């Protein structure tokens, strides 16, 4: 509607203001004209009465003076000459009626002209021929009429003439006011349109800016306040574009930083609602949801959040979720001096804790592995020093034990050094194009004696599509030696150990299959860890250092391959090696 627009409001305001001013002006003008005309009529009547008095004074013959004086009277004006209450003369009857001497004498104001010798005037009502009252104005002037006796001359006139003049004046004033209102309406509409046209353009531009079109410009048509407003609007659009671009860049930069962080980050408002999360934090929450079947924070994190907000300081806790260890650091977020929430940093400390445990276990295992041979060396050395041996045979047995334990200590130290070099990446492979059939037969031949002693059947199962394959001869022999030695030692008499080999142009697959007592299912995930021994009860003569499989796995992976195990307790074990075909640059 037009009344809701600026045009309508400005137009209506101007119209109401002009109408109010014209109304006040009209009332004042009408009042002024009415009073002016009444005063003029009173002045004319006073002058007429004074003229009659002069005429009467200038003629000694009262009859002649009266006849001349009555010439002043007409249809709208009447004259009364009063000598006293008994003698008075009145002009011919007017169109609107006439006074009687009783009316004058009963009126204290009018009768005062005869007693106080002062001019009097009054507006009164007299009956007319239509048996209705009519307003008249009467003026009385003192005069000497009869032999020096004080009298008065009264001249009266109907106010209808003044009323008609007033009505004509009112009509003219109202017509002028109407014309002024019409002209003001046109002017106000034109003025408001001129004012609001740039405002409408600014409104349309504001809608465009709200939609994100910050390049929208408002034309500057004038250099007044509206022009300055348009200039300020265009500057505001440029500033908004610059600030939003900067905010978007900062947001993208922050998002990239949060997404690339290894640690999880999430922002929580004061009500405990999660506002922002990065991928690690989302994975943490998904783990919580899978474990506790809920999407809200666990009690430990909620308590940490409440403590950080309440105490307004950083809080830290450690939480275990699905076997992984998380350290949570909660810091309050401030809005000025008011705490509006908190930011939580989630750090997955599983690997660190695992490394700490491995380091502790490594020290414990090395200490355990070295303690027994050192104790044996110390004990038997004391026996030799104290000359405990009874004969030469017992002396040789003591020396043999000392020798075997020293070899065991040397083997442990060498394997530890090999393990350290492999994990540090200092190992260098000498890749050669090896004849597989000759190479495998030679390795198998080394274990024929051991297999015969254990009464274990040792055989090969070769399916060679490719007779030669590139690998490090010594390192792979170390791997196969370890696997075959374990297989034979953990297979009972009458059992079988098979080395199955399959070669293609893409890879080489070797399987060490035994029919031993197998590895328990709970121990399978840990067989490749350092110092881990599945057979907790085996004798020291039967066991190794617990580093062989860990070294073997690292050597296979150094070739770009994989080493895996499959075992069923009391049925047997299969170790599988898969080596990819690798190009090498070595002279044949």
């Amino acid at each position: 509607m037009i009344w809701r627009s600026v045009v309508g409001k400005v137009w209506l305001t101007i119209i109401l203001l002009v109408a109010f001013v014209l109304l006040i002006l009209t009332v004042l003008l009408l009042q002024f004209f009415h009073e002016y005309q009444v005063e003029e009529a009173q002045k004319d009547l006073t002058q007429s009465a004074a003229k009659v008095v002069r005429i009467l004074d200038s003629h000694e013959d009262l009859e002649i003076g009266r006849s001349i004086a009555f010439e002043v009277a007409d249809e709208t004006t009447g004259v009364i000459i009063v000598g006293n209450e008994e003698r008075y003369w009145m002009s011919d009857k007017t169109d609107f009626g006439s006074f009687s001497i009783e009316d004058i004498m009963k009126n204290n104001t009018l009768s005062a002209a005869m007693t106080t010798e002062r001019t009097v005037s009054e507006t009164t009502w007299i009956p007319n021929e239509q048996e209705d009252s009519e307003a008249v104005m009467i003026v009385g002037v003192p005069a000497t009429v009869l032999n020096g006796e004080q009298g008065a001359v009264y001249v009266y006139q109907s106010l209808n003439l003044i009323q008609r003049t007033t009505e004509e004046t009112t009509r003219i004033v109202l017509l002028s006011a109407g014309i002024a209102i019409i002209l003001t309406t046109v002017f106000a509409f034109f003025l408001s349109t001129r004012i609001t046209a740039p405002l409408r353009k600014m409104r349309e531009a504001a809608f465009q800016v709200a939609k994100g079109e910050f390049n929208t410009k408002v034309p500057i048509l004038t250099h007044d306040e509206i022009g300055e407003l348009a200039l300020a609007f265009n500057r505001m659009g440029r500033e908004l574009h610059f600030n939003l671009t900067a905010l978007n860049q900062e947001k993208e930069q922050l998002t990239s930083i949060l997404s690339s962080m290894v640690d999880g980050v999430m922002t929580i408002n004061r009500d405990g609602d999660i506002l922002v999360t990065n991928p690690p934090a989302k994975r943490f929450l998904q783990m919580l949801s899978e474990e506790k079947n809920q999407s809200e924070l666990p009690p430990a994190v909620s308590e940490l959040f409440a403590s950080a907000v309440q105490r307004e300081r950083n809080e830290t806790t450690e939480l275990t979720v699905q076997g992984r260890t998380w350290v949570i650091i909660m810091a309050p977020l401030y809005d000025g001096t008011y705490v509006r929430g908190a930011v939580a940093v989630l750090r997955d400390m599983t690997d660190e804790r695992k490394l700490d445990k491995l380091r502790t276990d490594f020290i414990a295992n090395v200490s355990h592995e070295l303690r027994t041979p050192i104790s044996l060396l110390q004990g038997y050395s004391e026996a030799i020093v104290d000359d405990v041996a009874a004969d030469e045979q017992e002396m040789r047995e003591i020396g043999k034990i000392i020798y075997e334990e020293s070899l065991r200590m040397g083997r442990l130290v060498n394997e530890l050094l090999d393990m350290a070099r492999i994990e540090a990446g200092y190992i260098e492979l000498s890749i050669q194009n090896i004849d597989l059939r000759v190479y495998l037969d030679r390795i198998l031949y080394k274990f024929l004696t051991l297999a015969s002693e254990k009464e274990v059947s040792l055989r090969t199962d070769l399916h060679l599509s490719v007779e030669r394959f590139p690998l490090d001869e010594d390192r792979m022999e170390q791997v196969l030696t370890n696997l075959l030695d374990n297989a034979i030692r953990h297979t009972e008499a009458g059992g079988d150990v098979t080395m199955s080999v399959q070669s293609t142009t893409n890879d080489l697959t070797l399987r060490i299959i035994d029919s031993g007592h197998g590895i328990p299912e709970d121990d399978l995930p840990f067989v490749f860890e350092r110092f881990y021994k599945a057979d907790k009860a085996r004798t020291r003569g039967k066991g190794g250092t617990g580093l062989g499989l860990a070294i073997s796995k690292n050597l296979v992976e150094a070739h770009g391959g994989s080493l895996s195990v499959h075992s069923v307790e009391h049925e047997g074990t299969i170790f599988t090696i898969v080596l990819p075909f690798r190009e090498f640059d070595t002279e044949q």
Side-chain angles (χ1 to χ4, degrees):
M1 295 178 63
I2 189 173
W3 310 116
R4 295 182 180 178
S5 64
V6 176
V7 175
K9 292 177 181 178
V10 172
W11 175 78
L12 184 61
T13 302
I14 296 176
I15 292 301
L16 291 176
L17 179 62
V18 172
F20 178 75
V21 172
L22 288 177
L23 177 63
I24 300 298
L25 183 61
T26 301
V27 172
L28 294 177
L29 283 174
L30 292 177
Q31 184 68 23
F32 169 76
F33 283 128
H34 178 73
E35 292 179 356
Y36 175 76
Q37 290 171 359
V38 170
E39 289 179 0
E40 288 296 319
Q42 183 180 353
K43 188 183 296 184
D44 291 342
L45 291 177
T46 302
Q47 290 176 356
S48 298
K51 182 178 179 181
V52 170
V53 172
R54 287 196 301 272
I55 291 173
L56 292 176
D57 291 340
S58 63
H59 292 82
E60 295 181 357
D61 189 349
L62 182 60
E63 189 68 27
I64 296 174
R66 279 199 314 271
S67 62
I68 295 173
F70 284 152
E71 293 296 328
V72 177
D74 55 21
E75 293 81 4
T76 61
T77 306
V79 178
I80 302 175
I81 301 173
V82 180
N84 52 40
E85 293 183 10
E86 286 78 15
R87 298 188 67 181
Y88 59 90
W89 298 267
M90 300 179 66
S91 64
D92 295 336
K93 190 176 181 180
T94 60
D95 293 340
F96 53 86
S98 62
F99 276 95
S100 65
I101 189 63
E102 290 80 7
D103 295 331
I104 294 175
M105 293 304 172
K106 292 178 182 179
N107 192 309
N108 294 329
T109 303
L110 295 177
S111 62
M114 300 174 61
T115 59
T116 61
E117 296 185 1
R118 61 184 179 85
T119 302
V120 296
S121 65
E122 185 172 316
T123 301
T124 186
W125 299 85
I126 62 173
N128 57 17
E129 295 178 353
Q130 287 78 25
E131 297 181 357
D132 196 4
S133 296
E134 186 170 353
V136 295
M137 176 178 287
I138 183 169
V139 175
V141 177
T144 303
V145 179
L146 295 174
N147 301 322
E149 186 177 352
Q150 181 66 37
V153 175
Y154 294 94
V155 180
Y156 60 92
Q157 188 180 46
S158 174
L159 293 179
N160 285 339
L161 181 60
I162 298 175
Q163 185 67 28
R164 286 194 297 271
T165 304
T166 302
E167 290 176 356
E168 185 66 22
T169 303
T170 302
R171 188 180 66 82
I172 294 173
V173 170
L174 292 177
L175 179 62
S176 301
I179 294 173
I181 288 177
I182 293 174
L183 293 176
T184 303
T185 300
V186 175
F187 171 75
F189 188 80
F190 172 76
L191 179 62
S192 59
T193 304
R194 288 277 296 178
I195 293 175
T196 57
L199 297 179
R200 289 196 299 270
K201 293 181 180 179
M202 290 183 194
R203 181 190 63 182
E204 296 173 358
F207 286 143
Q208 297 297 324
V209 171
K211 294 178 182 178
E213 299 179 6
F214 298 104
N215 293 325
T216 304
K217 302 294 182 183
V218 177
I220 302 174
L221 304 178
T222 60
H223 297 285
D224 53 7
E225 289 83 355
I226 295 178
E228 293 177 357
L229 179 61
L231 181 63
F233 183 90
N234 293 337
R235 185 180 295 119
M236 179 193 69
R238 292 193 299 270
E239 293 294 330
L240 279 176
H241 188 198
F242 175 78
N243 292 333
L244 285 178
T245 301
L247 285 175
N248 289 332
Q249 290 176 351
E250 291 182 3
K251 182 180 178 181
E252 292 175 358
Q253 183 178 3
L254 180 60
T255 302
S256 300
I257 292 173
L258 289 176
S259 300
S260 60
M261 287 180 63
V262 177
D263 296 336
V265 178
M266 61 181 176
T267 303
I268 309 168
N269 64 13
R270 194 174 181 88
D271 297 329
D273 300 326
I274 299 175
L275 302 178
V276 179
T277 58
N278 66 343
K282 289 180 180 178
R283 288 195 295 270
F284 173 77
L285 294 175
Q286 290 173 357
M287 293 170 64
L288 287 179
S289 177
E290 293 173 0
E291 184 178 74
K292 298 182 178 294
N293 195 22
Q294 60 183 18
S295 57
E296 57 193 31
L297 294 175
V301 180
S302 299
E303 293 174 3
L304 189 70
F305 167 74
S307 177
V309 172
Q310 183 178 2
R311 299 182 181 180
E312 297 187 12
R313 68 181 187 185
N314 294 358
E315 298 289 343
T316 305
T317 189
E318 190 167 306
L319 187 65
T320 301
V321 181
Q322 293 186 358
R324 301 195 69 84
T325 302
W326 294 82
V327 173
I328 304 175
I329 303 172
M330 192 78 66
L333 284 176
Y334 290 92
D335 186 3
T337 58
Y338 173 74
V339 178
R340 61 182 179 88
V343 59
V345 178
L346 315 171
R347 182 166 298 168
D348 188 353
M349 298 293 290
T350 305
D351 294 337
E352 286 78 358
R353 297 292 182 266
K354 186 176 180 181
L355 288 174
D356 291 340
K357 186 176 182 304
L358 287 176
R359 182 165 51 249
T360 304
D361 292 345
F362 175 78
I363 295 173
N365 289 329
V366 170
S367 301
H368 176 74
E369 292 293 335
L370 290 175
R371 182 176 58 188
T372 300
I374 290 175
S375 298
L376 290 174
L377 289 175
Q378 182 179 358
Y380 285 110
S381 298
E382 289 178 354
I384 295 174
V385 172
D386 295 338
D387 200 15
V388 174
D391 53 19
E392 193 71 24
Q393 180 64 28
E394 189 174 355
M395 182 69 71
R396 281 197 298 271
E397 290 179 359
I398 293 174
K400 182 179 180 182
I401 292 172
I402 293 174
Y403 176 71
E404 290 177 352
E405 292 302 325
S406 64
L407 290 178
R408 178 177 176 79
M409 291 178 60
R411 186 167 62 251
L412 175 62
V413 172
N414 290 332
E415 289 181 352
L416 286 173
L417 291 174
D418 288 343
M419 192 72 184
R421 281 196 297 268
I422 293 171
E423 290 182 347
Y426 293 146
I427 184 173
E428 294 183 1
L429 299 179
S430 177
I431 305 298
Q432 300 291 329
N433 203 9
I434 304 300
D435 187 327
L436 292 176
R437 195 175 299 274
V438 175
Y439 178 68
L440 296 174
D441 287 342
R442 189 185 74 216
I443 294 174
L444 195 67
Y445 181 77
K446 291 166 50 177
F447 289 94
L448 292 178
T449 303
L450 180 60
S452 177
E453 292 176 356
K454 296 281 295 180
E455 298 181 2
V456 173
S457 174
L458 180 62
R459 61 176 179 268
T460 59
D461 182 15
L462 305 180
H463 301 279
L464 303 178
S465 299
V466 178
E467 293 289 336
R468 304 181 72 84
F469 197 87
L471 50 82
D472 187 321
E473 182 178 1
D474 293 335
R475 295 299 184 182
M476 284 307 302
E477 183 175 348
Q478 182 180 353
V479 172
L480 294 174
T481 298
N482 184 277
L483 295 177
L484 287 171
D485 182 73
N486 287 341
I488 294 172
R489 290 180 182 277
H490 293 88
T491 301
E492 300 295 334
D496 298 323
V497 174
T498 303
M499 182 169 59
S500 174
V501 182
Q502 182 178 0
S503 65
T504 66
T505 56
N506 295 324
D507 55 36
L508 173 65
T509 304
L510 301 97
R511 291 184 177 89
I512 308 300
I513 306 169
D514 66 65
S515 58
H517 39 67
I519 302 172
E521 184 177 357
D522 293 339
D523 292 331
L524 281 176
F526 309 104
V527 295
F528 294 111
E529 292 187 4
R530 292 176 293 184
F531 298 108
Y532 191 84
K533 299 178 182 179
D535 187 2
K536 307 295 189 302
R538 67 180 184 257
T539 63
R540 299 202 57 81
K542 186 178 180 180
T545 62
L547 294 172
L549 289 179
I551 294 174
S552 299
K553 184 175 179 64
N554 280 279
L555 290 175
V556 171
E557 291 177 350
H559 281 77
S562 63
L563 173 60
S564 60
V565 60
H566 174 75
S567 180
V568 178
E569 198 169 6
H570 307 301
E571 292 186 10
T573 304
I574 303 175
F575 281 90
T576 303
I577 301 172
V578 179
L579 299 176
F581 184 87
R582 299 177 63 181
E583 296 290 342
F584 68 99
D585 189 14
T586 305
E587 296 182 2
Q588 302 297 320

